[in-house]
Amino acid sequence: MTLSALRGQQVVVYFYPKASTPGCTTEGGDFRDRKPAFDAANTVILGVSRDGIRAQENFKAKEGFNFALIADKDEEICRMFDVIKLKKMYGKEHLGIERSTFLIDADGHLAQQWRGVKVPGHVDDVLAAAQALNAQSQNKGRA
């Protein structure tokens, strides 16, 4: 799948650190639960992490996610969106995904980005932005 194949639809690409961890499960569940509203706003949801395909498939099945999860083990997509950052955990530094979300408009242009995301309330913010962008694009089509 490529972003160009989704032209004509808005796309949310959200990056999460690791499948089946508490914050990532909550965030994915929030996107899952609001997917009908994203669909109504002409918006596709894609989740990306460095986990392998099997981990992604298991995570998606276990949590009933109704959108695609992308395995980016080689970090190609992560590097394109510049989400690999130096992080600290338990006093040790390591490179990992900075929880980030990107909203791409129906023409394939970056419309909005959220970096260093805190999970509570985040998906609602993304949904509001997607709805506003969709309404704006529909109004342009009528002009």
Side-chain angles (χ1 to χ4, degrees), residues 1-11 44 46 105-108:
M1 176 189 313
T2 62
L3 284 177
S4 60
L6 298 172
R7 186 81 27 107
Q9 295 178 288
Q10 297 174 168
V11 180
V44 174
L46 302 174
D105 72 16
D107 294 321

Side-chain angles (χ1 to χ4, degrees), residues 18-57:
K18 187 157 182 59
S20 299
T21 57
C24 299
T25 299
T26 298
E27 184 179 26
D30 289 347
F31 275 111
R32 175 198 61 219
D33 295 347
R34 288 164 185 79
K35 186 174 182 298
F38 279 100
D39 290 344
N42 190 36
T43 305
V44 174
I45 302 165
L46 302 174
V48 182
S49 77
R50 299 185 304 176
D51 295 294
I53 291 172
R54 180 168 298 181
Q56 297 287 42
E57 288 174 347

Side-chain angles (χ1 to χ4, degrees), residues 45-114:
I45 302 165
L46 302 174
V48 182
S49 77
R50 299 185 304 176
D51 295 294
I53 291 172
R54 180 168 298 181
Q56 297 287 42
E57 288 174 347
N58 291 342
F59 187 37
K60 182 176 179 175
K62 179 180 177 195
E63 300 303 330
F65 292 157
N66 47 8
F67 52 87
L69 296 181
I70 298 170
D72 189 31
K73 282 190 77 77
D74 63 3
E75 299 177 359
E76 183 178 339
I77 301 167
C78 291
R79 284 193 303 272
M80 284 177 19
F81 284 86
D82 191 29
V83 298
I84 300 294
K85 303 292 179 187
L86 190 62
K87 300 169 82 173
K88 286 187 179 181
M89 186 186 301
Y90 306 116
K92 295 187 180 191
E93 292 185 339
H94 69 282
L95 289 175
I97 290 180
E98 175 186 50
R99 191 180 305 277
S100 305
T101 302
F102 301 85
L103 176 59
I104 300 165
D105 72 16
D107 294 321
H109 301 109
L110 180 63
Q112 197 163 343
Q113 61 182 312
W114 297 262

